[in-house]
Amino acid sequence: MSYPPAPYRPDGPSGPTARRRPATATAAGVLAIACGLVVAGAGAAGMVWGIVAFGEVGWLVFLCAFVLPLGVAILRNGARLLSGDSEAGSRLNQLLGIPASLSFIAIGNMVVQADLARSEAQHQLAGFITAFVLAAAAMALAEARPTKAYLGSL
């Protein structure tokens, strides 16, 4: 026993207890970070391809100048959702709506018009499906009741 006796602390020996993050918030943050990495990676790859083959696809440099920061913003807000930022859920849903809607449109367009016998089209379709699934799942989990309660926006 220590002398003098330590005063009684109802919060425990190390201060107030931290609030627990629900599994939905953890999954939403992790999926958003993964989606941000996919979008930022696609932006960086498109930027490099546009620079290398500027005569053919130089317009990609200008398009990817907007895609790369979008991926970084999604990644950043996914990390903020994990840290408990109260505004991260709504910002994340707004940001994830862009890759979710664009990849959904691209999936429909490719199913109708693309030559799916080519491996390039299959890889591109797989990328759009991956981006759509990650974005839609992260949006659904960020809107879940336990996530909103954790963020204090319920």
Side-chain angles (χ1 to χ4, degrees):
M1 183 167 178
S2 65
Y3 186 80
Y8 173 72
R9 296 183 63 177
D11 294 333
S14 63
T17 58
R19 59 187 176 151
R20 293 183 47 94
R21 181 178 3 162
T24 56
T26 303
V30 169
L31 286 176
I33 289 171
C35 186
L37 289 173
V38 167
V39 171
M47 185 90 78
V48 169
W49 185 30
I51 291 171
V52 170
F54 193 75
E56 298 174 24
V57 289
W59 55 271
L60 272 177
V61 174
F62 304 110
L63 173 69
C64 292
F66 296 102
V67 174
L68 189 59
L70 174 67
V72 172
I74 292 171
L75 184 110
R76 179 175 162 260
N77 279 295
R80 285 190 173 205
L81 182 107
L82 289 176
S83 69
D85 183 8
S86 62
E87 297 294 320
S90 61
R91 281 192 310 247
L92 194 58
N93 273 338
Q94 291 172 354
L95 288 170
L96 286 171
I98 298 168
S101 59
L102 290 177
S103 54
F104 184 72
I105 291 169
I107 290 167
N109 188 21
M110 287 193 74
V111 167
V112 172
Q113 295 179 350
D115 180 16
L116 294 177
R118 293 182 30 228
S119 65
E120 295 88 8
Q122 292 173 359
H123 292 304
Q124 192 174 15
L125 182 62
F128 284 130
I129 291 171
T130 301
F132 176 73
V133 168
L134 285 174
M139 286 173 69
L141 289 169
E143 284 295 315
R145 184 177 295 273
T147 303
K148 286 190 161 205
Y150 168 70
L151 297 175
S153 60
L154 186 63

